[in-house]
Amino acid sequence: MDVNTVDKEEGLRLLVAITCYGTRNVDMLRHLIAQYHAMTFDVDVVVLSNVPRDLGPRVRVIVGMPSSDPWSLPFAHKAVLADNVFDYDLFAYSEDDMGVSEENIRAFLKLSPLLAANEIAGFLRYEIDEAGTVSLPDVHGGYHWKPDSVRKRGPYTVAEFTNEHAAFYLLTQKQLAGMID
C-alpha cells in the first residue's frame, strides 16, 4: 500500500499508542484522542496506563507497568506496535501531552519516501505560552543539529538532532518491520 496517497476511503490504518501515567494530563489525553479520531485516517488508539481508565468504547486501555520502575511505562508501547506490525500502515507513539495534526502526519508521509533506508523523519516539539510566544524547548536546551549529518533529500535539507528522546514519533510499517528485524 502506498502510504503517500492513501486516505480513509482507501484504507490507511494508523495505530496510536499513548502513554498516560497518573492523572495530571487526563484532559489533554482526551483531547488528543478526539483529535486522532477526527482524522481522515482509520485510527485505532491504545492507551498504556498505570491505572484503569474509561476513555470510551473506541479506545483500548492496557493497564500495567512493564517493570516495577515507574519510568518503564513509556516502553510498554514497543510490544503493542510489534504485535500489530502487519495490521497497520502507520504507527505512532506519544506521551499524553504531545499533540499532532493530520497535516503533520501528511508531511511525514510526503518526506519519508525521499529519505535513505536508515533515516526516519522526526518532529520538533514546540510550546506556545499564554502570551502566544512560541518556544522550542528541545532546541533551546543543550541539544543541537549534528553539523556532519546535513543531507539533501529531494527539495529538503535534513539533519540529525542530538536529542534522541522522542515524546512522539511516527513510523511506516516498513520502518517498524525493519527495526524489529
PDB file of all heavy atoms in Angstrom, residues 39-40 46 105 141:
ATOM      1  N   MET A  39      -9.373  12.519  12.483  1.00  0.00           N
ATOM      2  CA  MET A  39      -8.551  12.469  11.271  1.00  0.00           C
ATOM      3  C   MET A  39      -9.240  11.636  10.195  1.00  0.00           C
ATOM      4  O   MET A  39     -10.083  10.796  10.483  1.00  0.00           O
ATOM      5  CB  MET A  39      -7.169  11.887  11.588  1.00  0.00           C
ATOM      6  CG  MET A  39      -6.345  12.790  12.458  1.00  0.00           C
ATOM      7  SD  MET A  39      -4.709  12.079  12.758  1.00  0.00           S
ATOM      8  CE  MET A  39      -4.006  13.343  13.811  1.00  0.00           C
ATOM      9  N   THR A  40      -8.838  11.856   8.955  1.00  0.00           N
ATOM     10  CA  THR A  40      -9.430  11.098   7.847  1.00  0.00           C
ATOM     11  C   THR A  40      -8.825   9.709   7.714  1.00  0.00           C
ATOM     12  O   THR A  40      -9.290   8.911   6.902  1.00  0.00           O
ATOM     13  CB  THR A  40      -9.279  11.854   6.506  1.00  0.00           C
ATOM     14  OG1 THR A  40      -7.901  12.049   6.231  1.00  0.00           O
ATOM     15  CG2 THR A  40     -10.018  13.177   6.545  1.00  0.00           C
ATOM     16  N   VAL A  46      -4.592   3.059  21.434  1.00  0.00           N
ATOM     17  CA  VAL A  46      -4.324   2.227  22.604  1.00  0.00           C
ATOM     18  C   VAL A  46      -3.670   3.133  23.635  1.00  0.00           C
ATOM     19  O   VAL A  46      -2.697   3.825  23.330  1.00  0.00           O
ATOM     20  CB  VAL A  46      -3.382   1.057  22.265  1.00  0.00           C
ATOM     21  CG1 VAL A  46      -3.015   0.275  23.521  1.00  0.00           C
ATOM     22  CG2 VAL A  46      -3.995   0.154  21.219  1.00  0.00           C
ATOM     23  N   ILE A 105       1.183  14.583  10.026  1.00  0.00           N
ATOM     24  CA  ILE A 105       1.316  13.207   9.550  1.00  0.00           C
ATOM     25  C   ILE A 105       1.467  13.178   8.032  1.00  0.00           C
ATOM     26  O   ILE A 105       2.298  12.455   7.484  1.00  0.00           O
ATOM     27  CB  ILE A 105       0.132  12.345  10.027  1.00  0.00           C
ATOM     28  CG1 ILE A 105       0.185  12.212  11.557  1.00  0.00           C
ATOM     29  CG2 ILE A 105       0.148  10.969   9.349  1.00  0.00           C
ATOM     30  CD1 ILE A 105      -1.023  11.562  12.185  1.00  0.00           C
ATOM     31  N   GLY A 141      17.446  24.023  24.792  1.00  0.00           N
ATOM     32  CA  GLY A 141      18.235  23.370  25.828  1.00  0.00           C
ATOM     33  C   GLY A 141      19.635  23.091  25.315  1.00  0.00           C
ATOM     34  O   GLY A 141      20.178  23.827  24.494  1.00  0.00           O
TER      35      GLY A 141
END
